[in-house]
């Protein structure tokens, strides 16, 4: 009997739970596909057993934890929808244990159906899932595996444990329900209003929001994130910003909006322009459901930050890879013979592309904020000529086009953004070289893209006019040669050995730099073909191969982007379904209020208009609030990291808004249908 009743209830509620079940199915699908990819031996071979693959296991665990939270929160609203039904069942003689079994059976039917559908979708799309993963990791290969028994049983067991835990929690919830509350409706948890206290808390909430935004844009807290030193005193700025933002949002829904709507309700112009009921009910709902609205804002913000972080990592990583290793092989002239011989002995071929000379000299900047840029020291600058720079640009597309006069230069630094100085300020500086007879050089352009790759330079690089370059001393000069390598795999044994050798012992150039108050007193000691000196201030390669490290970084980057992006999309879709369930639960609980409105003469069209306006206000406001918070956070992060791709971020934000808008329209349709089915002549208390 209980099983049959549970099945009937499930059929009756399946329409309102359809999107929620789809969300659970997608979570199951992603969990199964992640485990299938993680356990795929062929994929492990393709990526050389990259330890970063453990991120797929982390993704699986994260999906299980998120699923537990989502189902826990969803069942809270599913139980609210059936409060009065449960009250009637208690009056009919059913025990609370039987009701708990009835409710659990109904939920298990939906969750079991979602589990089966998710597993089927996982098997259908696991190949596509793996191909997308390989594409982001830039691995050119095919993956044919779509079924994994290990992934199947781990996914099934993981979600069954979640279903059992939630069923026990639901049984405890049902045991605590009061009969009077079930039969006569939910008693509002909101306390009686205290105008002075509410106004004070509203002001506190707004003040915290303003303080958190000021902290985002004004406080110098971001270097803490760069160094990952959360134990420092300065890192508390980050904790303050996070806490202030969340509490500010919380108090905004709990006090600020209800106080504002209460004030608005008392204004004559507001009453004449819009139905008083819209403001009255909206303010009441904000106060009742501030927890849910705050969590919605939090999840929307988190989704945008995760997707924005994935986009930023992808853009930054790809740019860094192109900057670091744009050409297959670059070597000092003194090392080229041994490197090319090893490549030839392994059956490879090499083709010379270009070459240029490098000189090194002490330098100082003069101009706005020069001490901050130089960190209070003189700079060892490696210098190349404009002609050599232009020769390198023929084989490296990311180099800026450049034309320099005699007193102009181009400044290249990968880490300039860490100085937190705008580029326009840097361009107002001049470069003063230690060698006499050379005029101060105005910085005309800035770039973070090194010709032939950044591993080959100590730190900062300067491009100067040919006439200036010829005047520089050749005491500390060298010549770099660039080659194209063929018939050798990037991650093959030969290139791997060359790559490892380029970071060891005699393969490193070392610079011991003795700073001084006066530029002419700076001393430099350049070490070559000697064991590494722990006292060396600067290190760089004598040669570098684009191969193993490039592939490893590229694959690790693609995997990280895949994991973060997947979590962002799943978070968006799953929480949107939960918020939809919350609104539909409200429709079930408030149907007698709508019936009363019909009895006093309010037309169906007026009720429909109210429902649409109410949902636009209550449903979309936390979504828009969370979107604004997420974009502001990513703007600040991108401004500090100098790599945020705004177009891609806005595109991903648009996808999030489309998902929530789709759930919004679905919820309104279901909400209106519930109200339209209310008939004063036939409605009776259950």
């Amino acid at each position: 009997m209980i099983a049959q009743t549970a099945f009937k209830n499930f059929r009756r509620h399946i329409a309102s739970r359809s999107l929620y079940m789809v969300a659970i199915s997608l979570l199951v699908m992603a969990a199964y596909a992640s485990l299938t990819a993680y356990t795929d031996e062929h994929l492990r071979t393709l990526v050389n057993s990259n330890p970063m693959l453990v991120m797929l296991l982390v993704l699986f665990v994260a999906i299980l934890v998120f699923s537990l939270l989502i189902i826990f929160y969803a069942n809270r609203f599913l139980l609210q929808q059936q409060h009065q039904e449960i009250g009637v069942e208690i009056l009919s003689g059913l025990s609370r244990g039987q009701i708990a079994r009835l409710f659990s059976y109904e939920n298990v039917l939906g969750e079991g159906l979602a589990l089966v559908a998710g597993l089927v979708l996982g098997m259908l799309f696991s190949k596509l899932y793996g191909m997308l993963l390989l594409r982001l990791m830039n691995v050119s290969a095919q993956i044919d595996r779509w079924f994994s028994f290990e992934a199947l049983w781990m996914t099934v067991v993981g979600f069954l444990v979640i279903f059992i835990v939630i069923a026990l929690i639901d049984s405890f919830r049902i045991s605590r329900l009061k009969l009077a509350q079930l039969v006569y409706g939910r008693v509002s948890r909101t306390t009686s209003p205290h105008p002075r206290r509410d106004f004070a808390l509203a002001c506190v909430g707004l003040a915290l929001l303003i303080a958190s935004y000021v902290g985002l844009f004004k406080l110098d807290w971001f270097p803490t994130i760069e160094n990952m030193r959360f134990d420092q005193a300065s890192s508390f700025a980050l904790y303050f910003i996070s806490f202030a933002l969340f509490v500010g949002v919380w108090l905004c829904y709990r006090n600020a909006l209800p106080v504002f709507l209460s004030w608005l309700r008392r204004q004559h112009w507001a009453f004449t322009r819009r139905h008083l009921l819209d403001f009255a009910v909206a303010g009441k709902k904000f106060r009742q459901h501030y927890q849910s609205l705050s969590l919605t804002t939090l999840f929307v913000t988190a989704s945008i930050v995760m997707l924005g972080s994935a986009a930023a990592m992808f853009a930054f990583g790809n740019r860094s890879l192109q900057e670091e290793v744009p050409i297959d092989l670059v070597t000092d002239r003194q090392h080229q013979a041994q490197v090319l011989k090893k490549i030839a002995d392994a059956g490879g071929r090499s083709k010379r592309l270009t070459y240029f000379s490098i000189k090194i000299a002490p330098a100082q900047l003069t101009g706005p904020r020069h001490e901050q840029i130089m960190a209070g020291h003189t700079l060892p600058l490696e210098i190349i000529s404009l002609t050599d720079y232009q020769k390198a640009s023929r084989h490296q597309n990311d180099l800026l086009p450049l034309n320099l006069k005699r007193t102009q230069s181009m400044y290249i630094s990968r880490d300039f953004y860490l100085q937190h100085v705008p580029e326009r300020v840097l361009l107002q500086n001049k470069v003063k070289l230690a060698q006499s007879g050379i005029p101060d050089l105005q910085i005309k352009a800035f770039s973070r893209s090194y010709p032939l790759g950044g591993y080959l330079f100590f730190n900062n690089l300067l491009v100067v006019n040919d006439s200036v370059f010829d005047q520089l001393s050749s005491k500390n000069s060298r010549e770099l040669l660039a080659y194209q390598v063929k018939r050798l795999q990037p991650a093959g044994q030969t290139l791997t050995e060359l790559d490892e050798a380029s970071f060891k012992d005699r393969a490193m150039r070392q610079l011991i730099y003795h700073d001084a108050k006066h530029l002419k007193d700076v001393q430099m000691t350049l070490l070559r073909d000697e064991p590494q000196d722990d006292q060396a201030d600067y290190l760089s390669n004598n040669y570098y191969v684009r191969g193993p490290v490039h592939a490893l970084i590229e694959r690790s980057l693609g995997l990280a982007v895949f994991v973060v992006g997947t979590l962002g999309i799943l978070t968006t879709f799953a929480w949107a379904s939960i918020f939809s369930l919350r609104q539909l639960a409200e429709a079930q609980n408030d149907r007698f209020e709508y019936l009363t409105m019909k009895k006093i003469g309010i037309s169906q069209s007026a009720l429909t208009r109210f429902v649409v306006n109410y949902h636009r206000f209550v449903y979309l406001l936390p979504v828009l609030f969370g979107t604004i918070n997420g974009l502001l956070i990513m703007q600040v992060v991108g401004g500090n990291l100098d790599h945020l791709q705004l177009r891609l971020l806005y595109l991903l934000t648009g996808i999030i808004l489309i998902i929530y808008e789709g759930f919004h329209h679905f919820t309104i349709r279901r909400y209106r249908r519930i109200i339209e089915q209310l008939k004063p002549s036939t409605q009776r208390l259950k």
Side-chain angles (χ1 to χ4, degrees):
M1 173 183 174
I2 292 180
Q4 293 178 347
T5 304
F7 181 72
K8 291 180 181 178
N9 290 343
F10 171 71
R11 290 182 57 186
R12 183 157 50 90
H13 297 141
I14 191 171
S16 60
R17 303 183 185 183
S18 57
L19 290 180
Y20 163 68
M21 293 171 59
V22 170
I24 299 300
S25 299
L26 291 179
L27 290 171
V28 175
M29 179 192 75
Y32 171 82
S34 298
L35 277 183
T36 302
Y38 177 72
T39 58
D40 188 357
E41 295 297 332
H42 178 57
L43 178 60
R44 289 177 175 272
T45 302
L46 290 174
V47 299
N48 297 328
S49 298
N50 189 338
M52 288 293 291
L53 278 178
V54 75
M55 290 189 66
L56 291 174
L57 189 60
V58 174
L59 176 60
F60 172 76
V61 175
I63 291 174
L64 289 183
V65 174
F66 184 63
S67 300
L68 176 65
L69 296 176
I70 287 294
I71 297 174
F72 169 80
Y73 208 75
N75 279 20
R76 172 186 175 185
F77 298 125
L78 295 177
L79 187 62
Q80 288 180 4
Q81 284 183 326
Q82 301 183 38
H83 269 189
Q84 292 175 340
E85 295 179 15
I86 293 174
V88 173
E89 290 164 354
I90 292 178
L91 293 175
S92 301
L94 292 179
S95 66
R96 293 182 183 271
Q98 291 174 317
I99 295 174
R101 287 168 52 198
L102 177 64
F103 185 74
S104 298
Y105 287 168
E106 180 182 350
N107 288 338
V108 166
L109 285 172
E111 293 162 352
L113 182 61
L115 177 60
V116 173
L119 292 174
V120 173
L121 289 174
M123 295 177 189
L124 291 176
F125 290 98
S126 59
K127 182 177 179 180
L128 178 63
Y129 189 92
M131 291 174 62
L132 177 60
L133 175 60
L134 291 178
R135 178 67 181 86
L136 286 174
M137 297 174 72
N138 200 25
V139 176
S140 299
Q142 295 292 330
I143 185 169
D144 298 323
R145 192 180 188 194
W146 60 272
F147 177 76
S148 169
F149 179 76
E150 184 179 0
L152 180 65
W153 77 261
M154 289 181 66
T155 304
V156 171
V157 170
F159 277 91
L160 286 180
V161 169
I162 291 175
F163 298 158
I164 293 173
V165 170
I166 297 300
L168 294 176
I169 295 175
D170 291 338
S171 300
F172 177 75
R173 283 172 170 169
I174 291 174
S175 67
R176 309 244 330 167
L177 292 175
K178 297 179 180 180
L179 181 60
Q181 178 182 351
L182 294 171
V183 175
Y184 296 106
R186 186 181 71 253
V187 178
S188 174
R189 293 180 299 173
T190 58
T191 58
S192 57
H194 296 80
R196 293 183 178 179
R197 184 191 65 185
D198 290 342
F199 180 77
L201 290 177
C203 293
V204 171
L206 293 176
L208 287 175
L209 282 178
I210 295 173
S212 62
Y213 292 142
V214 170
L216 278 175
F217 287 99
K218 297 298 183 181
L219 296 182
D220 189 22
W221 58 274
F222 201 83
T224 302
I225 304 299
E226 293 167 352
N227 300 325
M228 296 301 291
R229 295 293 303 276
F230 293 101
D231 57 336
Q232 293 180 346
S234 60
S235 65
F236 284 97
L238 174 62
Y239 307 147
F240 165 77
I241 292 171
S242 303
F243 177 78
L245 186 60
F246 182 75
V247 176
V249 170
W250 183 283
L251 293 178
C252 178
Y253 292 121
R254 186 180 184 274
N255 299 98
L257 280 172
V259 167
F260 171 73
L261 293 173
S262 176
W263 172 83
L264 196 61
R265 190 170 62 238
R266 296 191 297 268
Q267 306 306 309
H268 176 73
W269 60 270
F271 182 82
T272 58
R273 291 172 181 266
R274 188 177 178 184
H275 200 284
L276 179 65
L277 186 63
D278 293 1
F279 297 114
V281 175
K284 176 183 176 182
K285 296 300 182 184
F286 276 118
R287 187 180 294 275
Q288 285 181 352
H289 305 296
Y290 64 91
Q291 296 179 2
S292 175
L293 297 172
S294 300
L295 287 176
T296 300
T297 300
L298 179 64
F299 274 100
V300 174
T301 302
S303 298
I304 292 177
V305 170
M306 281 191 291
L307 290 176
S309 299
M313 282 191 298
F314 185 73
F316 180 67
N318 282 338
R319 186 177 72 177
S320 297
L321 289 172
Q322 292 300 318
E323 292 169 356
E324 296 293 358
V325 281
I327 296 175
D328 293 341
L329 168 64
V330 184
T331 175
D332 267 341
R333 180 175 290 277
Q334 66 185 54
H335 286 87
Q336 67 168 329
Q338 65 182 32
V339 177
L340 295 178
K341 184 178 183 302
K342 291 181 179 179
I343 291 175
D345 291 344
R349 291 194 313 168
S350 58
K351 176 185 177 182
R352 182 186 290 190
L353 300 179
T354 186
Y355 65 93
F356 60 68
S357 299
I358 304 173
K359 298 178 182 179
I360 184 169
Q364 285 181 341
L365 298 185
T366 58
R369 301 174 69 175
H370 66 278
E371 291 186 354
Q372 182 177 352
I373 298 173
M374 299 188 304
H377 304 283
T378 58
L379 297 172
L381 289 181
E382 291 183 284
I383 305 172
I384 66 173
S385 68
L386 176 60
T387 299
D388 287 339
Y389 177 85
Q390 292 172 341
K391 287 192 300 185
S393 64
R394 300 173 188 171
H395 309 282
Q396 190 174 345
N397 295 328
D398 62 326
L399 296 183
L400 297 175
L402 188 64
N403 187 21
L404 297 174
K405 297 179 180 179
R406 185 176 183 276
T407 58
Q408 293 178 332
S409 64
M410 178 183 189
Y411 188 80
I412 301 177
S413 173
R414 180 176 57 250
D415 300 325
F416 170 71
Y417 70 92
L418 295 176
Q419 308 296 331
H420 300 283
V421 177
E423 181 180 330
R424 57 178 176 79
V425 176
L426 173 67
L427 297 180
Q428 297 174 22
N429 279 265
K430 291 185 178 182
V431 180
K432 181 178 181 59
L433 299 176
Q435 186 172 329
S436 60
I438 298 179
D440 293 351
L441 305 175
Q442 179 68 50
I443 300 178
K444 177 185 178 182
F446 166 76
S447 175
R448 53 172 289 145
S449 297
Y450 291 79
L452 309 188
Y455 286 108
L456 301 156
F457 301 92
F458 286 133
N459 196 350
N460 302 312
L461 183 67
L462 202 69
V463 183
V464 300
N465 188 276
D466 294 354
S467 60
V468 174
F469 184 80
D470 293 337
Q471 297 179 53
L472 293 173
S473 172
S474 300
K475 177 182 178 182
N476 295 316
S477 65
R478 64 182 179 132
E479 190 173 19
L480 286 181
L481 300 97
Y483 292 88
Q484 180 184 22
V485 178
K486 298 182 179 180
R487 293 184 179 178
L488 286 179
Q489 294 295 327
Q493 183 178 359
T494 300
L495 292 185
T496 300
E497 293 176 354
L498 288 173
D499 182 69
E500 291 176 351
S502 70
F503 288 94
K504 295 179 179 178
D505 299 332
R506 298 177 182 271
M508 300 291 291
R509 288 192 314 131
Q510 304 165 59
L511 176 67
I512 300 178
Y513 193 77
H514 299 282
D515 198 2
K517 294 183 178 180
H518 302 287
L519 191 58
K520 62 180 180 179
D521 297 329
V522 172
Q523 297 179 6
M524 298 187 302
T525 304
L526 190 63
L527 305 177
R528 294 180 181 173
D529 299 329
E530 298 180 17
Q532 289 188 15
D533 187 345
D534 294 337
Q535 301 300 319
D537 297 316
Y538 301 93
L539 297 173
S540 74
N541 298 66
N542 277 325
Y543 58 89
Y544 188 79
V545 178
R546 180 169 69 169
V549 172
H550 179 275
L552 178 64
I553 295 175
E554 197 168 34
R555 290 165 184 174
S556 301
L557 171 68
L559 185 58
V561 170
F562 182 81
V563 169
V564 175
T566 300
L567 279 178
I569 291 294
L570 290 176
T571 301
T572 299
F573 200 91
W575 189 258
S577 69
I578 298 303
F579 201 47
S580 176
L581 275 180
R582 190 199 76 80
Q583 294 297 93
L584 294 178
E586 283 302 301
Q588 293 288 350
N589 289 324
D590 296 341
R591 60 186 184 273
F592 290 110
E593 296 182 13
Y594 292 116
L595 178 62
T596 302
M597 297 177 195
K598 283 189 175 183
K599 288 182 177 180
I600 63 176
I602 298 178
S603 65
Q604 182 66 51
S605 60
L607 282 178
T608 300
R609 176 180 54 82
F610 164 69
V611 167
V612 173
N613 292 335
Y614 163 69
H615 272 276
R616 285 176 179 171
F617 195 34
V618 176
Y619 188 101
L620 293 181
L621 184 63
V623 175
L624 295 177
F625 199 5
T627 301
I628 293 172
N629 285 340
L631 289 177
L632 285 176
I633 291 173
M634 291 311 300
Q635 286 276 7
V636 174
V637 172
N640 281 273
L641 289 183
D642 188 34
H643 65 255
L644 182 63
Q645 300 295 306
L646 295 181
R647 292 182 180 178
L648 185 56
L649 174 61
Y650 292 150
L651 174 62
L652 295 173
T653 302
I655 293 175
I656 291 177
L657 292 178
I658 290 173
I659 292 175
Y660 274 98
E661 184 67 19
F663 276 91
H664 171 56
H665 285 291
F666 170 82
T667 305
I668 285 181
R669 291 185 61 183
R670 293 293 307 166
Y671 205 110
R672 290 171 57 184
R673 186 174 179 181
I674 292 173
I675 296 175
E676 291 171 356
Q677 290 175 346
L678 295 174
K679 297 181 180 180
S681 60
T682 59
Q683 184 71 27
R684 55 191 176 88
L685 182 64
K686 294 186 178 181

